[in-house]
Amino acid sequence: MRRGIAVAAALAAIGLAAPGLAQTVEVTAAGETTPVGTANDDAADDPAIWRNARRPAASLIVATDKKAGLYVYGLDGQVRHFEPAGRLNNVDLIDLGRRGIWVVASDRNDEANAILRLYRLDGQTGKLAPAGSAPGGAGEAYGVCLMRSGRDIHAFSVLKHGAIHQVRLDIGGAEPSGTILRSYALETQTEGCVVDERTATLYVGEEDRGIWAFDLRQPGQTAGKLVAAVDGVHLVADVEGLAIAPRGRNGGWLVASSQGDNAYALYRLPDMAPAGRFRIAAGDFGATEETDGIALALGNFGAKYPQGLFVAQDGDNAPAAQNFKLVSWRAVLDALKKADKQSAR
């Protein structure tokens, strides 16, 4: 983290900040989760959000304690369920309606062989039910993100050393199975990923270099494009969690955890132009620092989160163990709009 802050300060001092780049605005959390059970360690890591369309305030957050397993939280931050499973690093989920809510976590208990661990989430009780596993490739499991594809789920198993495997998860039978369809590779450590299903684009964060885009519509294409480089100004290494706020056919924003300066960088879709930055400052709840995973879901989540919910891992929740902070997406957009108006004067 110190390296990133030093780089940002040096660039700013010599005037290399991008012309017209929005300032980093501040918002405060409207809620937080109970700390994870692993104390005095870097343990909380990655969240995923399930929105209860019928009762938005009863929505759920699934999140990892990467030393111990999976938590399910309500929007009040209280634990609904804990599933002990050891070193589960990242998590994502997908709601298939009558076919259930499926949760997939990257299992790094065996650092030589990545596993995708599958669960069914009960939206009423918040309970997780183990539902099998699938291979995630040779190497240490790190990131994971999901995409619908017909009746199947495609999981992207991101390994620590830079390999990315696209795995088709067949959940139609009595026992789920997985098949690696194709593989991609980045040169250095990778983790965060997210899929824009509208454009079939996979975004992956290479921690020291930036955000890469892979076109999933091209069957034989495995090369990616660096669409947002670490510059020490808008995006400060390490690049960690990624999330998408879609709007219309291909618009909206991609959000990245700019871990090196405790901020979150927005990029406009589909052109990935820088579109503002924000931090979560101390208020009724603490600030966030050294954020790993993030999650973002749009829609009504009740009075506190009327236009969407942003969840960020907090790497320093002292004196308690690490936890996750909950932020109103409307508060983020309002802060960015206010900053834009002030800069235009």
Side-chain angles (χ1 to χ4, degrees):
M1 184 182 73
R2 291 178 180 176
R3 176 193 61 182
I5 293 174
V7 170
L11 288 171
I14 59 177
L16 290 184
L21 188 65
Q23 64 176 321
T24 303
V25 301
E26 291 188 349
V27 297
T28 58
E32 66 178 348
T33 67
T34 299
V36 297
T38 302
N40 303 315
D41 206 345
D42 179 24
D45 196 274
D46 190 47
I49 301 168
W50 175 69
R51 180 175 177 270
N52 187 327
R54 294 184 177 181
R55 295 191 299 136
S59 298
L60 299 170
I61 299 164
V62 182
T64 60
D65 177 335
K66 62 187 176 185
K67 310 292 184 181
L70 281 176
Y71 281 91
V72 180
Y73 299 100
L75 296 191
D76 59 0
Q78 298 302 304
V79 176
R80 297 289 190 269
H81 180 69
F82 175 68
E83 182 67 24
R87 302 174 68 204
L88 300 186
N89 200 61
N90 277 196
V91 65
D92 200 3
L93 62 81
I94 199 162
D95 188 341
L96 297 181
R98 293 182 179 179
R99 300 177 67 208
I101 307 163
W102 288 82
V103 175
V104 179
S106 59
D107 183 334
R108 60 192 288 207
N109 283 292
D110 178 358
E111 294 186 5
N113 296 285
I115 296 294
L116 297 172
R117 195 67 60 187
L118 280 67
Y119 300 87
R120 296 284 296 268
L121 174 64
D122 186 322
Q124 299 299 314
T125 66
K127 303 293 185 182
L128 288 167
S133 63
E140 184 177 353
Y142 236 43
V144 68
C145 52
L146 303 178
M147 176 184 75
R148 295 174 182 83
S149 181
R151 292 186 59 80
D152 295 328
I153 301 171
H154 283 208
F156 295 86
S157 176
V158 180
L159 307 187
K160 186 175 182 178
H161 65 265
I164 306 153
H165 301 294
Q166 182 176 352
V167 183
R168 183 179 64 224
L169 299 175
D170 182 354
I171 60 172
E175 183 72 19
S177 61
T179 305
I180 295 178
L181 299 181
R182 59 176 166 173
S183 300
Y184 315 87
L186 296 174
E187 294 180 0
T188 62
Q189 185 165 309
T190 57
E191 184 172 5
C193 69
V194 69
V195 177
D196 188 340
E197 292 183 343
R198 302 168 303 169
T199 59
T201 303
L202 168 68
Y203 295 95
V204 181
E206 187 177 11
E207 294 189 357
D208 284 341
R209 296 184 64 192
I211 303 169
W212 292 79
F214 296 87
D215 187 350
L216 303 176
R217 296 169 297 188
Q218 304 298 325
Q221 177 64 261
T222 60
K225 178 181 179 182
L226 184 64
V227 292
V230 166
D231 59 4
V233 179
H234 193 72
L235 186 60
V236 182
D238 290 347
V239 181
E240 292 289 341
L242 302 179
I244 280 183
R247 173 180 286 182
R249 292 180 59 188
N250 61 4
W253 300 270
L254 183 142
V255 187
S257 171
S258 177
Q259 190 184 67
D261 68 339
N262 303 323
Y264 309 92
L266 274 73
Y267 295 89
R268 186 179 64 223
L269 294 172
D271 62 0
M272 287 293 290
R277 306 174 85 247
F278 68 96
R279 287 192 178 94
I280 301 172
D284 292 338
F285 304 92
T288 58
E289 295 179 281
E290 302 179 41
T291 293
D292 286 324
I294 60 174
L296 173 58
L298 302 185
N300 175 25
F301 282 83
K304 286 186 177 181
Y305 315 101
Q307 292 181 344
L309 172 65
F310 179 79
V311 179
Q313 181 260 7
D314 184 5
D316 185 0
N317 189 45
Q322 295 177 342
N323 72 347
F324 300 86
K325 299 297 194 287
L326 283 60
V327 175
S328 165
W329 184 241
R330 184 170 72 179
V332 173
L333 296 181
D334 287 347
L336 291 169
K337 289 176 183 178
K338 182 177 179 180
D340 285 343
K341 289 180 180 178
Q342 290 176 343
S343 65
R345 291 177 181 173

